[in-house]
Amino acid sequence: MASQEILSKKPLHVLEKIKENLEKLNEKMEVMIELQKHGKKDITPPLTDTPLDVMTLLSMPDHLRKTAMTVCRLGRATADEIAQQTHRARAVESAYLNQLVIMGYLKKERKGRKAYFYVERESQG
Amino acid sequence: MGKIMAVHSYKGGTGKTLLSINLAAALAKTGKKVCLFDLDFRAPSLATLLKVKNPNCWLNDYLNGSCEIEKALVDISERIGNSGKLCVALANPNTEAIREMSSKDRKWEMRALGRLLALRNLISNTGNFDYLVFDTSPGLQYSSINAIVAADLVVVATTFDRSDMEGTQRMLRELYDLFEKKTYLVLNKVLENPTRHKSDLQATVKDFYQVPLLGVVPCYCDILKAEGSTIFAQDKPDHPFTRMLNALAAEIEKNIA
Ligand SMILES: Nc1ncnc2c1ncn2[C@@H]1O[C@H](COP(=O)(O)OP(=O)(O)OP(=O)(O)O)[C@@H](O)[C@H]1O
Ligand SMILES: [Mg+2]
């Protein structure tokens, strides 16, 4: 009985891992699709760690500004929460968010199955 | 849930400060709980105009992260006869403080934006206010753009000065629109002209700016005589300027309800 339990647990665990990896892969794909849609010109690598301030927001392409502004307002949010505010699809927001992470404007933190995005305002007192 | 409005303009001297004070007072006099913020750190004026000395904390300190916002609020409800609640948070007018504020870097401005966004707690369900009114510096100042981003709506003070009109038109498209802010125009310091119809004026302005015109405020010598240190809503309740501002306040309330 006990050995059976271990046996049945193991494949489940493996499946979970596969699912997790697929999700990560999916996210990367979404980013790549978005990159192609808007062309590479949108993705300037972070210039000597430019902060996500209002001047940066102003100079961003419209689609990214909307996402970035929403993160600023919420402080910390998942792609789902952002999508609720912007009325765009979760997958789209997920792609934009990851794009903003690549650009160096947002930070991403995984907590269990959820990914949180936030603006790093280090040394905040 | 309350609202945050930023009073802004392209050029200086269009009447932002005068409108901010009296709009806040007009709203408070209808029984609302209002807090007025001096976010013009380059040329602070509310401390002088409202004759408030030595607050526990300046807004400068709040934005620097060295005090809680509650400590920066000064209750001046008695100035409006305690009909509503009117508080004010002040920019430090000392030269040293102005100099310090003008030399902040982008990281600081980003954190300041975070703190301005956090003021939303004051108008949340557990907060104490219905309206926050931000008086700002003219033009594309960092602090002004921060204020605009943190606000729900922008009241734009404009005059018939040509350069102000063109600049305002550009800001509407290249600043407020980009941040998806609701914008209302107030045409201030308008000279009485008996041959010009009010509806003509409204149509012209709407056509030029493509945004709603909240109101037209004539130029009153009484305002200049008062040297800015009068809260018209309280001191001169029957003055046409007071009535104009009551109408503006009512219009804003109607629009955002
Ligand atoms: N409708 C008006 N009639 C007469 N005087 C006015 C009117 N509106 C404003 N003023 C006067 O114009 C001057 C500038 O007004 P105010 O200080 O409110 O402008 P501001 O936009 O805040 O200026 P700044 O850009 O320097 O902050 C003040 O002396 C004020 O009393
Ligand atoms: Mg002013």
Side-chain angles (χ1 to χ4, degrees), chain B residues 111-229:
Chain B
R111 286 196 293 273
L113 173 63
R115 296 205 166 94
L116 286 176
L117 286 163
L119 292 179
R120 203 155 280 280
N121 292 330
L122 292 173
I123 52 162
S124 68
N125 298 330
T126 54
N128 294 312
F129 293 96
D130 300 310
Y131 291 102
L132 307 186
V133 179
F134 293 167
D135 182 19
T136 64
S137 302
L140 295 172
Q141 292 280 321
Y142 243 116
S143 68
S144 301
I145 306 179
N146 276 346
I148 288 161
V149 170
D152 298 302
L153 60 134
V154 187
V155 174
V156 187
T158 181
T159 61
F160 266 137
D161 176 285
R162 269 242 72 90
S163 59
D164 184 50
M165 287 177 72
E166 303 235 319
T168 302
Q169 198 186 36
R170 248 176 289 126
M171 278 200 318
L172 285 168
R173 281 194 313 265
E174 293 163 25
L175 183 65
Y176 313 132
D177 273 5
L178 294 191
F179 289 127
E180 301 179 20
K181 294 299 165 184
K182 268 202 182 143
T183 315
Y184 302 96
L185 275 180
V186 174
L187 192 56
N188 190 23
K189 298 189 176 183
V190 178
L191 294 173
E192 297 289 358
N193 181 346
T195 61
R196 190 169 53 201
H197 267 285
K198 211 173 170 186
S199 53
D200 283 354
L201 185 72
Q202 299 226 339
T204 313
V205 170
K206 241 183 205 155
D207 193 50
F208 184 75
Y209 292 114
Q210 305 285 325
V211 297
L213 181 63
L214 198 64
V216 178
V217 182
C219 198
Y220 295 110
C221 291
D222 287 349
I223 292 176
L224 292 172
K225 273 188 230 145
E227 292 174 355
S229 52

Side-chain angles (χ1 to χ4, degrees), chain B residues 16-18 40 43 45 135-136:
Chain B
K16 293 177 294 299
T17 301
L18 181 84
D40 187 355
S45 41
D135 182 19
T136 64

Side-chain angles (χ1 to χ4, degrees), chain A residues 49-58 62 65-66 69 72-73 119-125, chain B residues 65 106-107 109-111 113-115 117 120 140-142 145-146 149 174-175 178-181:
Chain A
D49 72 328
T50 319
L52 184 59
D53 63 359
V54 286
M55 297 304 173
T56 305
L57 283 169
L58 269 179
D62 292 346
R65 183 183 316 109
K66 199 177 182 116
M69 285 261 293
C72 281
R73 252 205 333 270
V119 187
E120 190 174 50
R121 300 194 176 104
E122 88 275 33
S123 71
Q124 194 161 24
Chain B
R106 296 184 70 168
K107 280 252 166 68
E109 296 290 355
M110 183 181 76
R111 286 196 293 273
L113 173 63
R115 296 205 166 94
L117 286 163
R120 203 155 280 280
L140 295 172
Q141 292 280 321
Y142 243 116
I145 306 179
N146 276 346
V149 170
E174 293 163 25
L175 183 65
L178 294 191
F179 289 127
E180 301 179 20
K181 294 299 165 184

Side-chain angles (χ1 to χ4, degrees), chain A residues 51-54 56-77 82 85-86 88 93 96-101 103 105-106 117-119 121, chain B residues 110 113 117 149 178-180:
Chain A
L52 184 59
D53 63 359
V54 286
T56 305
L57 283 169
L58 269 179
S59 62
M60 259 179 201
D62 292 346
H63 65 282
L64 288 182
R65 183 183 316 109
K66 199 177 182 116
T67 304
M69 285 261 293
T70 312
V71 179
C72 281
R73 252 205 333 270
L74 297 181
R76 189 182 158 87
I82 300 289
Q85 300 277 320
T86 61
R88 299 193 286 207
E93 288 304 345
Y96 294 168
L97 286 162
N98 283 297
Q99 215 169 307
L100 287 163
V101 172
M103 290 162 91
Y105 295 132
L106 294 182
F117 297 86
Y118 62 97
V119 187
R121 300 194 176 104
Chain B
M110 183 181 76
L113 173 63
L117 286 163
V149 170
L178 294 191
F179 289 127
E180 301 179 20

